[in-house]
Amino acid sequence: MARRRELWTESEPGANPFALPRGLIGHLAGWIMARANRAQNTEVAGFLGIGDEEDVLEVGHGPGVLIELLARHRGVTVTGVDPSSEMVRMALRRNAEAARAGRVRVRRAGAQATGCEDASMDLVVSVNTVAMWPSLDDCLAEFHRVLRPGGRSVITWHRRPARFALTVEELSTVEEAVRKRFGAAERHELPSSVVFGATK
Ligand SMILES: C[S@@+](CC[C@H](N)C(=O)[O-])C[C@H]1O[C@@H](n2cnc3c(N)ncnc32)[C@H](O)[C@@H]1O
């Protein structure tokens, strides 16, 4: 069977408005994702079991639903990065109050260069973005760089609907790359997401 597309190439995610939302169509894609992916982002937030006082980086936050869920925890600060200006605007609007209070920061950047300081985060999480990264190894190196010792990296992707799921081969590629960078990798299957976890 033909592959759907080349993953983890150095090229941009292309014209798919869900992969890199731009302009009016991108805004619409963000609106759809905020609704369609809310249950999955809620599931991921539950899985994270976030404690008080954690510094969290979300990579590829899209419309900002997970930021909103995480920022509800006392003492938690959430930094969001996304290469889409449209998604940065949407996430800021959704989290305006938390941003004003200094608990949420959002800026335009990608998984390969988040702009965060070395060892400044307790958790780096990314939901439904790993297939858009230009290079798995470079992006995982960036996650590792920004994590404090003992910090967690959590990468998740859709399990449902089946047409969005990664192939068995692609899932193994992600798991192997995480293992190579962090020394160990865990894979969990939640109802809506496959999760790759690792600790620095
Ligand atoms: C399918 S959406 C997922 C959005 C959100 N995390 C969710 O689950 O609803 C993919 C997101 O990844 C972002 N993205 C694309 N290329 C990226 C990259 N190189 N690094 C980080 N995020 C990227 C897009 O701008 C988009 O917001």
Side-chain angles (χ1 to χ4, degrees):
M1 199 169 85
R3 286 169 62 90
R4 292 159 300 163
R5 63 200 166 87
E6 276 303 309
L7 300 181
W8 307 306
T9 66
E10 292 299 327
S11 60
E12 276 220 335
N16 183 333
F18 296 95
L20 190 60
R22 292 185 175 110
L24 196 59
I25 301 286
H27 184 84
L28 183 64
W31 188 87
I32 292 169
M33 286 192 285
R35 280 145 191 82
N37 295 344
R38 176 170 279 278
Q40 187 197 2
N41 276 274
T42 303
E43 173 184 87
V44 171
F47 173 85
L48 291 173
I50 200 158
D52 292 343
E53 312 289 329
E54 290 200 52
D55 293 317
V56 181
L57 169 64
E58 187 189 3
V59 171
H61 51 68
V65 171
L66 184 59
I67 293 178
E68 181 187 359
L69 297 170
L70 298 181
R72 287 178 186 163
H73 292 263
R74 192 161 47 91
V76 166
T77 67
V78 188
T79 302
V81 298
D82 196 297
S84 157
S85 334
E86 194 53 46
M87 292 303 97
V88 168
R89 273 195 292 276
M90 279 187 101
L92 263 180
R93 267 199 298 276
R94 182 178 303 280
N95 293 286
E97 201 183 315
R100 271 195 300 276
R103 290 183 288 110
V104 165
R105 282 179 226 107
V106 184
R107 61 170 177 269
R108 192 166 167 249
Q112 56 279 36
T114 61
C116 296
E117 288 183 16
D118 291 357
S120 56
M121 296 291 161
D122 300 299
L123 169 68
V124 182
V125 58
S126 197
V127 181
N128 303 330
T129 77
V130 67
M132 289 96 188
W133 297 354
S135 151
L136 264 181
D137 290 343
D138 291 353
C139 294
L140 287 168
E142 176 68 359
F143 282 31
H144 192 270
R145 181 186 72 75
V146 306
L147 280 170
R148 297 186 172 119
R152 293 182 294 152
S153 162
V154 176
I155 295 163
T156 85
W157 187 262
H158 301 279
R159 283 187 71 206
R160 295 196 308 234
R163 67 181 189 283
F164 290 165
L166 294 176
T167 63
V168 170
E169 193 182 65
E170 288 162 349
L171 292 169
S172 298
T173 302
V174 177
E175 189 171 349
E176 267 317 298
V178 173
R179 183 168 293 120
K180 190 171 121 206
R181 174 54 59 184
F182 285 85
E186 287 171 15
R187 194 197 287 200
H188 303 269
E189 302 213 337
L190 308 182
S192 301
S193 330
V194 56
V195 178
F196 299 95
T199 304
K200 180 170 175 179

